[in-house]
Amino acid sequence: MVEYSKKLRVILPLLYTYDFGAPVWRMRLDVAANRLAFEIRDADLLLADFHTLDLDNYKLDKLPLPAAKNWWLGLEDAFEGLLFLHGYGDRQVGQHKGIFAYDAATANLRWQQPELAFYGVTTNGILALNLQGQNLQLLQTKTGTIVAENVSLDNGAAAVANHNAVRSQACTYPMLYLEGEPYYNQVCDFLEHQLNVKPVKGIEYAETGQNIFTGFYTENAAGNLDNTLCVFNLDGELQLQERIATGLSGIGSDTFIIFNHKLYFIRQRNILVVYSLT
């Protein structure tokens, strides 16, 4: 068993927690609208729900969709106040088909393109895949109107990648270092010295101007993995330590994000937690 520090310090102010009651399957940040979007799925009951959180006031809104229909929908992205959901063409292989754009603030369906598949967000609009011709079409973000056809896959992939790079500048995502890599060893040595722990498999790492963030895994008595998130100041002093998941069969990525001086993560798969970093 891993011995954790008995002098646990929780210095960061806790701003918000919310228990969705079922696992958070996917989370997307809408930088332009200052919102988070969530896909919640209960595999036992075959139920899915979609929520958006206004990060200005922590008001949580749920899309009022029929429960029986939701299981065959999924969250693609959130952008400029819209929530983009997909349906399925071939449910056996999980092929995405259909784009449904909902207004995050009003929960109204703004537009839909049932025969296209969501490909990605670009500076000029939404790229969608024509499943028959296997070419891309550019859609106007607010209306879904087709404004360009026959966009090549190479050009489309580059446009989505470039726009994702611009979007990610407003948010800090952790880097994942795998066991055996040089940076992994450096962070592992730091954690062993500071916390007397022995991380395994992989470590997530991020820095801001004031803090160092690490998400690491340790093996428990049952042979599974536990995931712990820690925040240090630049002097190496522990500011926060939370075990955010237990009994895992493997490691993950992007288990936390930093946006507008706040730390966001999901605890035990279904609880959203927000801490202030100021």
Side-chain angles (χ1 to χ4, degrees), residues 28-59:
R28 293 289 184 265
L29 174 63
D30 184 347
V31 173
N34 202 33
R35 283 181 176 267
L36 273 175
F38 303 90
E39 177 182 344
I40 315 299
R41 303 189 81 85
D42 188 328
D44 295 329
L45 300 177
L46 296 182
L47 294 176
D49 288 307
F50 303 93
H51 301 255
T52 64
L53 179 67
D54 186 333
L55 301 183
D56 290 323
N57 53 29
Y58 297 107
K59 181 178 181 294

Side-chain angles (χ1 to χ4, degrees), residues 159-170:
V160 171
N162 290 337
H163 190 67
N164 283 341
V166 173
R167 292 171 72 185
S168 64
Q169 290 177 357

